[in-house]
PDB file of all heavy atoms in Angstrom:
ATOM      1  N   LEU A   1       1.354  -9.535   5.346  1.00 91.00           N
ATOM      2  CA  LEU A   1       1.525  -8.102   5.603  1.00 91.00           C
ATOM      3  C   LEU A   1       0.214  -7.414   5.959  1.00 91.00           C
ATOM      4  O   LEU A   1       0.213  -6.455   6.745  1.00 91.00           O
ATOM      5  CB  LEU A   1       2.171  -7.417   4.386  1.00 91.00           C
ATOM      6  CG  LEU A   1       3.612  -7.785   4.137  1.00 91.00           C
ATOM      7  CD1 LEU A   1       4.083  -7.215   2.805  1.00 91.00           C
ATOM      8  CD2 LEU A   1       4.499  -7.305   5.263  1.00 91.00           C
ATOM      9  N   ALA A   2      -0.888  -7.883   5.411  1.00 89.00           N
ATOM     10  CA  ALA A   2      -2.185  -7.257   5.689  1.00 89.00           C
ATOM     11  C   ALA A   2      -2.501  -7.259   7.176  1.00 89.00           C
ATOM     12  O   ALA A   2      -3.131  -6.330   7.679  1.00 89.00           O
ATOM     13  CB  ALA A   2      -3.285  -7.969   4.906  1.00 89.00           C
ATOM     14  N   GLY A   3      -2.046  -8.260   7.895  1.00 87.00           N
ATOM     15  CA  GLY A   3      -2.295  -8.328   9.332  1.00 87.00           C
ATOM     16  C   GLY A   3      -1.372  -7.425  10.130  1.00 87.00           C
ATOM     17  O   GLY A   3      -1.451  -7.402  11.359  1.00 87.00           O
ATOM     18  N   GLN A   4      -0.486  -6.700   9.457  1.00 92.00           N
ATOM     19  CA  GLN A   4       0.471  -5.849  10.156  1.00 92.00           C
ATOM     20  C   GLN A   4       0.205  -4.353   9.918  1.00 92.00           C
ATOM     21  O   GLN A   4       1.004  -3.492  10.259  1.00 92.00           O
ATOM     22  CB  GLN A   4       1.890  -6.191   9.699  1.00 92.00           C
ATOM     23  CG  GLN A   4       2.290  -7.590  10.046  1.00 92.00           C
ATOM     24  CD  GLN A   4       3.715  -7.874   9.635  1.00 92.00           C
ATOM     25  OE1 GLN A   4       4.561  -7.015   9.621  1.00 92.00           O
ATOM     26  NE2 GLN A   4       3.976  -9.145   9.318  1.00 92.00           N
ATOM     27  N   GLU A   5      -0.947  -4.055   9.333  1.00 93.00           N
ATOM     28  CA  GLU A   5      -1.297  -2.651   9.107  1.00 93.00           C
ATOM     29  C   GLU A   5      -1.820  -2.052  10.403  1.00 93.00           C
ATOM     30  O   GLU A   5      -2.411  -2.763  11.202  1.00 93.00           O
ATOM     31  CB  GLU A   5      -2.359  -2.553   8.026  1.00 93.00           C
ATOM     32  CG  GLU A   5      -1.855  -2.992   6.675  1.00 93.00           C
ATOM     33  CD  GLU A   5      -2.896  -2.885   5.598  1.00 93.00           C
ATOM     34  OE1 GLU A   5      -3.052  -1.760   5.074  1.00 93.00           O
ATOM     35  OE2 GLU A   5      -3.581  -3.877   5.312  1.00 93.00           O
ATOM     36  N   PRO A   6      -1.657  -0.781  10.638  1.00 95.00           N
ATOM     37  CA  PRO A   6      -0.999   0.197   9.779  1.00 95.00           C
ATOM     38  C   PRO A   6       0.529   0.090   9.900  1.00 95.00           C
ATOM     39  O   PRO A   6       1.052  -0.406  10.887  1.00 95.00           O
ATOM     40  CB  PRO A   6      -1.471   1.543  10.338  1.00 95.00           C
ATOM     41  CG  PRO A   6      -1.708   1.288  11.776  1.00 95.00           C
ATOM     42  CD  PRO A   6      -2.195  -0.154  11.841  1.00 95.00           C
ATOM     43  N   PHE A   7       1.199   0.581   8.846  1.00 97.00           N
ATOM     44  CA  PHE A   7       2.659   0.603   8.844  1.00 97.00           C
ATOM     45  C   PHE A   7       3.129   1.961   9.341  1.00 97.00           C
ATOM     46  O   PHE A   7       2.462   2.966   9.156  1.00 97.00           O
ATOM     47  CB  PHE A   7       3.184   0.317   7.433  1.00 97.00           C
ATOM     48  CG  PHE A   7       2.737  -1.006   6.930  1.00 97.00           C
ATOM     49  CD1 PHE A   7       1.739  -1.097   5.974  1.00 97.00           C
ATOM     50  CD2 PHE A   7       3.286  -2.175   7.416  1.00 97.00           C
ATOM     51  CE1 PHE A   7       1.305  -2.332   5.522  1.00 97.00           C
ATOM     52  CE2 PHE A   7       2.872  -3.421   6.966  1.00 97.00           C
ATOM     53  CZ  PHE A   7       1.862  -3.482   6.012  1.00 97.00           C
ATOM     54  N   GLU A   8       4.280   1.980   9.974  1.00 97.00           N
ATOM     55  CA  GLU A   8       4.815   3.178  10.573  1.00 97.00           C
ATOM     56  C   GLU A   8       6.206   3.417  10.032  1.00 97.00           C
ATOM     57  O   GLU A   8       6.989   2.488   9.879  1.00 97.00           O
ATOM     58  CB  GLU A   8       4.847   3.023  12.077  1.00 97.00           C
ATOM     59  CG  GLU A   8       5.375   4.202  12.829  1.00 97.00           C
ATOM     60  CD  GLU A   8       5.385   3.993  14.319  1.00 97.00           C
ATOM     61  OE1 GLU A   8       5.333   2.840  14.792  1.00 97.00           O
ATOM     62  OE2 GLU A   8       5.450   5.002  15.026  1.00 97.00           O
ATOM     63  N   ALA A   9       6.532   4.684   9.747  1.00 98.00           N
ATOM     64  CA  ALA A   9       7.875   5.068   9.313  1.00 98.00           C
ATOM     65  C   ALA A   9       8.392   6.128  10.276  1.00 98.00           C
ATOM     66  O   ALA A   9       7.730   7.138  10.522  1.00 98.00           O
ATOM     67  CB  ALA A   9       7.857   5.579   7.893  1.00 98.00           C
ATOM     68  N   ILE A  10       9.588   5.874  10.809  1.00 98.00           N
ATOM     69  CA  ILE A  10      10.183   6.791  11.773  1.00 98.00           C
ATOM     70  C   ILE A  10      11.509   7.269  11.192  1.00 98.00           C
ATOM     71  O   ILE A  10      12.358   6.467  10.799  1.00 98.00           O
ATOM     72  CB  ILE A  10      10.441   6.061  13.109  1.00 98.00           C
ATOM     73  CG1 ILE A  10       9.136   5.505  13.658  1.00 98.00           C
ATOM     74  CG2 ILE A  10      11.116   6.984  14.114  1.00 98.00           C
ATOM     75  CD1 ILE A  10       9.318   4.458  14.726  1.00 98.00           C
ATOM     76  N   ARG A  11      11.694   8.577  11.151  1.00 98.00           N
ATOM     77  CA  ARG A  11      12.933   9.173  10.636  1.00 98.00           C
ATOM     78  C   ARG A  11      13.937   9.253  11.778  1.00 98.00           C
ATOM     79  O   ARG A  11      13.641   9.698  12.883  1.00 98.00           O
ATOM     80  CB  ARG A  11      12.636  10.569  10.090  1.00 98.00           C
ATOM     81  CG  ARG A  11      13.848  11.310   9.531  1.00 98.00           C
ATOM     82  CD  ARG A  11      14.225  10.776   8.170  1.00 98.00           C
ATOM     83  NE  ARG A  11      15.430  11.405   7.649  1.00 98.00           N
ATOM     84  CZ  ARG A  11      15.450  12.232   6.607  1.00 98.00           C
ATOM     85  NH1 ARG A  11      14.326  12.546   5.990  1.00 98.00           N
ATOM     86  NH2 ARG A  11      16.583  12.739   6.198  1.00 98.00           N
ATOM     87  N   HIS A  12      15.159   8.780  11.511  1.00 98.00           N
ATOM     88  CA  HIS A  12      16.249   8.876  12.474  1.00 98.00           C
ATOM     89  C   HIS A  12      17.486   9.291  11.697  1.00 98.00           C
ATOM     90  O   HIS A  12      18.103   8.483  10.992  1.00 98.00           O
ATOM     91  CB  HIS A  12      16.464   7.532  13.175  1.00 98.00           C
ATOM     92  CG  HIS A  12      17.498   7.598  14.263  1.00 98.00           C
ATOM     93  ND1 HIS A  12      17.231   8.140  15.494  1.00 98.00           N
ATOM     94  CD2 HIS A  12      18.786   7.221  14.274  1.00 98.00           C
ATOM     95  CE1 HIS A  12      18.335   8.057  16.251  1.00 98.00           C
ATOM     96  NE2 HIS A  12      19.282   7.521  15.508  1.00 98.00           N
ATOM     97  N   GLY A  13      17.819  10.573  11.799  1.00 97.00           N
ATOM     98  CA  GLY A  13      18.950  11.074  11.019  1.00 97.00           C
ATOM     99  C   GLY A  13      18.697  10.923   9.543  1.00 97.00           C
ATOM    100  O   GLY A  13      17.673  11.356   9.028  1.00 97.00           O
ATOM    101  N   GLU A  14      19.628  10.260   8.854  1.00 96.00           N
ATOM    102  CA  GLU A  14      19.492  10.087   7.399  1.00 96.00           C
ATOM    103  C   GLU A  14      18.770   8.793   7.024  1.00 96.00           C
ATOM    104  O   GLU A  14      18.771   8.392   5.866  1.00 96.00           O
ATOM    105  CB  GLU A  14      20.847  10.157   6.710  1.00 96.00           C
ATOM    106  CG  GLU A  14      21.746   8.975   7.017  1.00 96.00           C
ATOM    107  CD  GLU A  14      23.008   8.977   6.149  1.00 96.00           C
ATOM    108  OE1 GLU A  14      22.908   8.683   4.943  1.00 96.00           O
ATOM    109  OE2 GLU A  14      24.064   9.254   6.713  1.00 96.00           O
ATOM    110  N   PHE A  15      18.127   8.160   7.980  1.00 98.00           N
ATOM    111  CA  PHE A  15      17.485   6.872   7.738  1.00 98.00           C
ATOM    112  C   PHE A  15      15.990   6.881   8.079  1.00 98.00           C
ATOM    113  O   PHE A  15      15.562   7.645   8.949  1.00 98.00           O
ATOM    114  CB  PHE A  15      18.162   5.775   8.571  1.00 98.00           C
ATOM    115  CG  PHE A  15      19.631   5.662   8.308  1.00 98.00           C
ATOM    116  CD1 PHE A  15      20.549   6.220   9.189  1.00 98.00           C
ATOM    117  CD2 PHE A  15      20.104   5.034   7.186  1.00 98.00           C
ATOM    118  CE1 PHE A  15      21.892   6.156   8.950  1.00 98.00           C
ATOM    119  CE2 PHE A  15      21.463   4.939   6.925  1.00 98.00           C
ATOM    120  CZ  PHE A  15      22.362   5.513   7.814  1.00 98.00           C
ATOM    121  N   TRP A  16      15.273   6.021   7.397  1.00 98.00           N
ATOM    122  CA  TRP A  16      13.882   5.715   7.738  1.00 98.00           C
ATOM    123  C   TRP A  16      13.822   4.284   8.255  1.00 98.00           C
ATOM    124  O   TRP A  16      14.343   3.375   7.604  1.00 98.00           O
ATOM    125  CB  TRP A  16      12.964   5.837   6.522  1.00 98.00           C
ATOM    126  CG  TRP A  16      12.664   7.227   6.099  1.00 98.00           C
ATOM    127  CD1 TRP A  16      13.265   7.933   5.083  1.00 98.00           C
ATOM    128  CD2 TRP A  16      11.705   8.107   6.665  1.00 98.00           C
ATOM    129  NE1 TRP A  16      12.733   9.174   4.997  1.00 98.00           N
ATOM    130  CE2 TRP A  16      11.773   9.320   5.949  1.00 98.00           C
ATOM    131  CE3 TRP A  16      10.811   7.981   7.712  1.00 98.00           C
ATOM    132  CZ2 TRP A  16      10.946  10.395   6.249  1.00 98.00           C
ATOM    133  CZ3 TRP A  16       9.986   9.064   8.004  1.00 98.00           C
ATOM    134  CH2 TRP A  16      10.065  10.259   7.285  1.00 98.00           C
ATOM    135  N   PHE A  17      13.196   4.089   9.406  1.00 98.00           N
ATOM    136  CA  PHE A  17      12.906   2.742   9.919  1.00 98.00           C
ATOM    137  C   PHE A  17      11.421   2.552   9.704  1.00 98.00           C
ATOM    138  O   PHE A  17      10.596   3.338  10.178  1.00 98.00           O
ATOM    139  CB  PHE A  17      13.242   2.634  11.404  1.00 98.00           C
ATOM    140  CG  PHE A  17      12.823   1.329  12.005  1.00 98.00           C
ATOM    141  CD1 PHE A  17      13.511   0.159  11.706  1.00 98.00           C
ATOM    142  CD2 PHE A  17      11.710   1.260  12.833  1.00 98.00           C
ATOM    143  CE1 PHE A  17      13.093  -1.047  12.241  1.00 98.00           C
ATOM    144  CE2 PHE A  17      11.300   0.052  13.375  1.00 98.00           C
ATOM    145  CZ  PHE A  17      12.006  -1.089  13.078  1.00 98.00           C
ATOM    146  N   VAL A  18      11.067   1.516   8.958  1.00 98.00           N
ATOM    147  CA  VAL A  18       9.653   1.234   8.631  1.00 98.00           C
ATOM    148  C   VAL A  18       9.288  -0.112   9.241  1.00 98.00           C
ATOM    149  O   VAL A  18      10.054  -1.074   9.112  1.00 98.00           O
ATOM    150  CB  VAL A  18       9.420   1.228   7.109  1.00 98.00           C
ATOM    151  CG1 VAL A  18       7.941   1.063   6.788  1.00 98.00           C
ATOM    152  CG2 VAL A  18       9.974   2.475   6.440  1.00 98.00           C
ATOM    153  N   CYS A  19       8.117  -0.166   9.859  1.00 97.00           N
ATOM    154  CA  CYS A  19       7.690  -1.432  10.466  1.00 97.00           C
ATOM    155  C   CYS A  19       6.173  -1.529  10.473  1.00 97.00           C
ATOM    156  O   CYS A  19       5.462  -0.529  10.322  1.00 97.00           O
ATOM    157  CB  CYS A  19       8.231  -1.568  11.891  1.00 97.00           C
ATOM    158  SG  CYS A  19       7.635  -0.318  13.017  1.00 97.00           S
ATOM    159  N   GLY A  20       5.710  -2.755  10.628  1.00 95.00           N
ATOM    160  CA  GLY A  20       4.286  -3.003  10.763  1.00 95.00           C
ATOM    161  C   GLY A  20       3.884  -2.905  12.223  1.00 95.00           C
ATOM    162  O   GLY A  20       4.722  -2.637  13.096  1.00 95.00           O
ATOM    163  N   THR A  21       2.609  -3.091  12.501  1.00 94.00           N
ATOM    164  CA  THR A  21       2.117  -3.110  13.872  1.00 94.00           C
ATOM    165  C   THR A  21       1.273  -4.350  14.066  1.00 94.00           C
ATOM    166  O   THR A  21       0.719  -4.904  13.111  1.00 94.00           O
ATOM    167  CB  THR A  21       1.258  -1.868  14.189  1.00 94.00           C
ATOM    168  OG1 THR A  21       0.165  -1.804  13.274  1.00 94.00           O
ATOM    169  CG2 THR A  21       2.055  -0.579  14.077  1.00 94.00           C
ATOM    170  N   LEU A  22       1.160  -4.772  15.301  1.00 87.00           N
ATOM    171  CA  LEU A  22       0.313  -5.918  15.640  1.00 87.00           C
ATOM    172  C   LEU A  22      -0.854  -5.431  16.497  1.00 87.00           C
ATOM    173  O   LEU A  22      -0.714  -4.451  17.233  1.00 87.00           O
ATOM    174  CB  LEU A  22       1.111  -6.959  16.427  1.00 87.00           C
ATOM    175  CG  LEU A  22       2.137  -7.759  15.643  1.00 87.00           C
ATOM    176  CD1 LEU A  22       2.905  -8.692  16.590  1.00 87.00           C
ATOM    177  CD2 LEU A  22       1.484  -8.569  14.515  1.00 87.00           C
ATOM    178  N   PRO A  23      -1.975  -6.128  16.427  1.00 80.00           N
ATOM    179  CA  PRO A  23      -3.097  -5.765  17.296  1.00 80.00           C
ATOM    180  C   PRO A  23      -2.690  -5.873  18.764  1.00 80.00           C
ATOM    181  O   PRO A  23      -1.772  -6.641  19.113  1.00 80.00           O
ATOM    182  CB  PRO A  23      -4.159  -6.808  16.947  1.00 80.00           C
ATOM    183  CG  PRO A  23      -3.800  -7.291  15.590  1.00 80.00           C
ATOM    184  CD  PRO A  23      -2.302  -7.228  15.525  1.00 80.00           C
ATOM    185  N   PRO A  24      -3.355  -5.137  19.642  1.00 83.00           N
ATOM    186  CA  PRO A  24      -3.042  -5.215  21.068  1.00 83.00           C
ATOM    187  C   PRO A  24      -3.073  -6.647  21.595  1.00 83.00           C
ATOM    188  O   PRO A  24      -3.927  -7.437  21.203  1.00 83.00           O
ATOM    189  CB  PRO A  24      -4.128  -4.372  21.735  1.00 83.00           C
ATOM    190  CG  PRO A  24      -4.609  -3.458  20.651  1.00 83.00           C
ATOM    191  CD  PRO A  24      -4.449  -4.216  19.362  1.00 83.00           C
ATOM    192  N   ARG A  25      -2.116  -6.967  22.444  1.00 81.00           N
ATOM    193  CA  ARG A  25      -1.993  -8.248  23.135  1.00 81.00           C
ATOM    194  C   ARG A  25      -1.623  -9.404  22.196  1.00 81.00           C
ATOM    195  O   ARG A  25      -1.672 -10.555  22.619  1.00 81.00           O
ATOM    196  CB  ARG A  25      -3.245  -8.578  23.962  1.00 81.00           C
ATOM    197  CG  ARG A  25      -3.464  -7.601  25.093  1.00 81.00           C
ATOM    198  CD  ARG A  25      -4.634  -7.961  25.970  1.00 81.00           C
ATOM    199  NE  ARG A  25      -5.902  -7.915  25.283  1.00 81.00           N
ATOM    200  CZ  ARG A  25      -6.626  -6.806  25.065  1.00 81.00           C
ATOM    201  NH1 ARG A  25      -6.179  -5.666  25.466  1.00 81.00           N
ATOM    202  NH2 ARG A  25      -7.774  -6.860  24.442  1.00 81.00           N
ATOM    203  N   TRP A  26      -1.295  -9.140  20.947  1.00 81.00           N
ATOM    204  CA  TRP A  26      -0.831 -10.186  20.051  1.00 81.00           C
ATOM    205  C   TRP A  26       0.669 -10.368  20.254  1.00 81.00           C
ATOM    206  O   TRP A  26       1.394  -9.409  20.466  1.00 81.00           O
ATOM    207  CB  TRP A  26      -1.101  -9.828  18.603  1.00 81.00           C
ATOM    208  CG  TRP A  26      -2.488 -10.140  18.143  1.00 81.00           C
ATOM    209  CD1 TRP A  26      -3.629  -9.877  18.823  1.00 81.00           C
ATOM    210  CD2 TRP A  26      -2.860 -10.720  16.909  1.00 81.00           C
ATOM    211  NE1 TRP A  26      -4.718 -10.262  18.078  1.00 81.00           N
ATOM    212  CE2 TRP A  26      -4.262 -10.776  16.905  1.00 81.00           C
ATOM    213  CE3 TRP A  26      -2.167 -11.178  15.810  1.00 81.00           C
ATOM    214  CZ2 TRP A  26      -4.974 -11.299  15.820  1.00 81.00           C
ATOM    215  CZ3 TRP A  26      -2.870 -11.689  14.744  1.00 81.00           C
ATOM    216  CH2 TRP A  26      -4.256 -11.759  14.769  1.00 81.00           C
ATOM    217  N   LEU A  27       1.105 -11.592  20.157  1.00 79.00           N
ATOM    218  CA  LEU A  27       2.525 -11.895  20.243  1.00 79.00           C
ATOM    219  C   LEU A  27       3.070 -12.119  18.842  1.00 79.00           C
ATOM    220  O   LEU A  27       2.367 -12.603  17.974  1.00 79.00           O
ATOM    221  CB  LEU A  27       2.760 -13.137  21.116  1.00 79.00           C
ATOM    222  CG  LEU A  27       2.306 -13.036  22.566  1.00 79.00           C
ATOM    223  CD1 LEU A  27       2.498 -14.374  23.264  1.00 79.00           C
ATOM    224  CD2 LEU A  27       3.049 -11.934  23.288  1.00 79.00           C
ATOM    225  N   GLY A  28       4.329 -11.832  18.676  1.00 80.00           N
ATOM    226  CA  GLY A  28       4.952 -12.060  17.370  1.00 80.00           C
ATOM    227  C   GLY A  28       5.704 -10.839  16.915  1.00 80.00           C
ATOM    228  O   GLY A  28       5.819  -9.839  17.639  1.00 80.00           O
ATOM    229  N   GLY A  29       6.216 -10.904  15.725  1.00 89.00           N
ATOM    230  CA  GLY A  29       6.987  -9.808  15.178  1.00 89.00           C
ATOM    231  C   GLY A  29       6.345  -9.233  13.941  1.00 89.00           C
ATOM    232  O   GLY A  29       5.322  -9.709  13.470  1.00 89.00           O
ATOM    233  N   VAL A  30       6.959  -8.205  13.461  1.00 94.00           N
ATOM    234  CA  VAL A  30       6.442  -7.500  12.279  1.00 94.00           C
ATOM    235  C   VAL A  30       7.584  -7.281  11.279  1.00 94.00           C
ATOM    236  O   VAL A  30       8.762  -7.368  11.627  1.00 94.00           O
ATOM    237  CB  VAL A  30       5.825  -6.128  12.661  1.00 94.00           C
ATOM    238  CG1 VAL A  30       4.587  -6.312  13.493  1.00 94.00           C
ATOM    239  CG2 VAL A  30       6.843  -5.250  13.373  1.00 94.00           C
ATOM    240  N   ALA A  31       7.214  -7.025  10.037  1.00 96.00           N
ATOM    241  CA  ALA A  31       8.190  -6.720   9.008  1.00 96.00           C
ATOM    242  C   ALA A  31       8.883  -5.402   9.360  1.00 96.00           C
ATOM    243  O   ALA A  31       8.271  -4.470   9.905  1.00 96.00           O
ATOM    244  CB  ALA A  31       7.510  -6.598   7.654  1.00 96.00           C
ATOM    245  N   GLU A  32      10.197  -5.338   9.079  1.00 97.00           N
ATOM    246  CA  GLU A  32      10.992  -4.160   9.362  1.00 97.00           C
ATOM    247  C   GLU A  32      11.887  -3.866   8.161  1.00 97.00           C
ATOM    248  O   GLU A  32      12.325  -4.782   7.473  1.00 97.00           O
ATOM    249  CB  GLU A  32      11.878  -4.387  10.588  1.00 97.00           C
ATOM    250  CG  GLU A  32      11.111  -4.728  11.832  1.00 97.00           C
ATOM    251  CD  GLU A  32      11.999  -5.172  12.982  1.00 97.00           C
ATOM    252  OE1 GLU A  32      13.162  -5.561  12.743  1.00 97.00           O
ATOM    253  OE2 GLU A  32      11.507  -5.149  14.105  1.00 97.00           O
ATOM    254  N   ALA A  33      12.150  -2.584   7.933  1.00 98.00           N
ATOM    255  CA  ALA A  33      13.052  -2.182   6.854  1.00 98.00           C
ATOM    256  C   ALA A  33      13.791  -0.925   7.281  1.00 98.00           C
ATOM    257  O   ALA A  33      13.227  -0.054   7.948  1.00 98.00           O
ATOM    258  CB  ALA A  33      12.295  -1.926   5.562  1.00 98.00           C
ATOM    259  N   LEU A  34      15.037  -0.837   6.865  1.00 98.00           N
ATOM    260  CA  LEU A  34      15.855   0.359   7.082  1.00 98.00           C
ATOM    261  C   LEU A  34      16.205   0.919   5.699  1.00 98.00           C
ATOM    262  O   LEU A  34      16.772   0.201   4.872  1.00 98.00           O
ATOM    263  CB  LEU A  34      17.113   0.023   7.858  1.00 98.00           C
ATOM    264  CG  LEU A  34      17.980   1.200   8.259  1.00 98.00           C
ATOM    265  CD1 LEU A  34      17.249   2.135   9.211  1.00 98.00           C
ATOM    266  CD2 LEU A  34      19.277   0.720   8.892  1.00 98.00           C
ATOM    267  N   ILE A  35      15.852   2.181   5.492  1.00 98.00           N
ATOM    268  CA  ILE A  35      15.986   2.796   4.167  1.00 98.00           C
ATOM    269  C   ILE A  35      16.773   4.104   4.302  1.00 98.00           C
ATOM    270  O   ILE A  35      16.487   4.921   5.179  1.00 98.00           O
ATOM    271  CB  ILE A  35      14.597   3.092   3.568  1.00 98.00           C
ATOM    272  CG1 ILE A  35      13.807   1.772   3.442  1.00 98.00           C
ATOM    273  CG2 ILE A  35      14.720   3.800   2.229  1.00 98.00           C
ATOM    274  CD1 ILE A  35      12.348   1.954   3.174  1.00 98.00           C
ATOM    275  N   ARG A  36      17.721   4.321   3.399  1.00 97.00           N
ATOM    276  CA  ARG A  36      18.481   5.575   3.385  1.00 97.00           C
ATOM    277  C   ARG A  36      17.639   6.654   2.710  1.00 97.00           C
ATOM    278  O   ARG A  36      17.183   6.460   1.577  1.00 97.00           O
ATOM    279  CB  ARG A  36      19.800   5.387   2.645  1.00 97.00           C
ATOM    280  CG  ARG A  36      20.733   6.595   2.753  1.00 97.00           C
ATOM    281  CD  ARG A  36      22.034   6.418   1.983  1.00 97.00           C
ATOM    282  NE  ARG A  36      22.738   5.175   2.296  1.00 97.00           N
ATOM    283  CZ  ARG A  36      23.570   5.015   3.331  1.00 97.00           C
ATOM    284  NH1 ARG A  36      23.776   5.994   4.156  1.00 97.00           N
ATOM    285  NH2 ARG A  36      24.168   3.855   3.502  1.00 97.00           N
ATOM    286  N   ALA A  37      17.438   7.772   3.395  1.00 97.00           N
ATOM    287  CA  ALA A  37      16.582   8.837   2.894  1.00 97.00           C
ATOM    288  C   ALA A  37      17.147   9.509   1.639  1.00 97.00           C
ATOM    289  O   ALA A  37      16.380   9.868   0.731  1.00 97.00           O
ATOM    290  CB  ALA A  37      16.350   9.898   3.977  1.00 97.00           C
ATOM    291  N   SER A  38      18.441   9.659   1.551  1.00 94.00           N
ATOM    292  CA  SER A  38      19.031  10.391   0.440  1.00 94.00           C
ATOM    293  C   SER A  38      18.811   9.749  -0.916  1.00 94.00           C
ATOM    294  O   SER A  38      18.597  10.428  -1.916  1.00 94.00           O
ATOM    295  CB  SER A  38      20.522  10.613   0.674  1.00 94.00           C
ATOM    296  OG  SER A  38      21.193   9.367   0.743  1.00 94.00           O
ATOM    297  N   ASN A  39      18.855   8.392  -0.961  1.00 94.00           N
ATOM    298  CA  ASN A  39      18.775   7.724  -2.259  1.00 94.00           C
ATOM    299  C   ASN A  39      17.778   6.554  -2.336  1.00 94.00           C
ATOM    300  O   ASN A  39      17.672   5.906  -3.359  1.00 94.00           O
ATOM    301  CB  ASN A  39      20.160   7.261  -2.698  1.00 94.00           C
ATOM    302  CG  ASN A  39      20.767   6.239  -1.744  1.00 94.00           C
ATOM    303  OD1 ASN A  39      20.092   5.739  -0.844  1.00 94.00           O
ATOM    304  ND2 ASN A  39      22.037   5.931  -1.949  1.00 94.00           N
ATOM    305  N   GLY A  40      17.102   6.242  -1.230  1.00 96.00           N
ATOM    306  CA  GLY A  40      16.110   5.174  -1.251  1.00 96.00           C
ATOM    307  C   GLY A  40      16.708   3.785  -1.128  1.00 96.00           C
ATOM    308  O   GLY A  40      15.997   2.786  -1.273  1.00 96.00           O
ATOM    309  N   GLU A  41      17.995   3.689  -0.848  1.00 96.00           N
ATOM    310  CA  GLU A  41      18.637   2.383  -0.745  1.00 96.00           C
ATOM    311  C   GLU A  41      18.056   1.615   0.449  1.00 96.00           C
ATOM    312  O   GLU A  41      17.984   2.141   1.566  1.00 96.00           O
ATOM    313  CB  GLU A  41      20.139   2.556  -0.529  1.00 96.00           C
ATOM    314  CG  GLU A  41      20.902   1.269  -0.355  1.00 96.00           C
ATOM    315  CD  GLU A  41      22.357   1.492  -0.057  1.00 96.00           C
ATOM    316  OE1 GLU A  41      22.788   2.633   0.200  1.00 96.00           O
ATOM    317  OE2 GLU A  41      23.105   0.477  -0.080  1.00 96.00           O
ATOM    318  N   VAL A  42      17.641   0.391   0.212  1.00 98.00           N
ATOM    319  CA  VAL A  42      17.137  -0.476   1.280  1.00 98.00           C
ATOM    320  C   VAL A  42      18.335  -1.166   1.878  1.00 98.00           C
ATOM    321  O   VAL A  42      18.976  -1.973   1.221  1.00 98.00           O
ATOM    322  CB  VAL A  42      16.096  -1.483   0.738  1.00 98.00           C
ATOM    323  CG1 VAL A  42      15.605  -2.368   1.844  1.00 98.00           C
ATOM    324  CG2 VAL A  42      14.935  -0.761   0.076  1.00 98.00           C
TER     325      VAL A  42
END
């Protein structure tokens, strides 16, 4: 996870989409999570 900082959280309606970032020109994926804003349910 340390290699995916900074983390970003985007609000979409009643949900938060949270993801990591990769350095420019790096290939691969990042951790992702979808969280309900009202109660914190992952």
Side-chain angles (χ1 to χ4, degrees):
L1 291 172
Q4 297 183 30
E5 295 180 83
F7 300 105
E8 180 179 20
I10 302 164
R11 180 76 183 249
H12 185 78
E14 69 171 288
F15 303 100
W16 286 100
F17 174 73
V18 185
C19 63
T21 58
L22 289 176
R25 296 184 295 279
W26 277 44
L27 299 176
V30 293
E32 301 171 341
L34 185 64
I35 301 167
R36 188 181 308 276
S38 62
N39 61 10
E41 178 184 10
V42 179

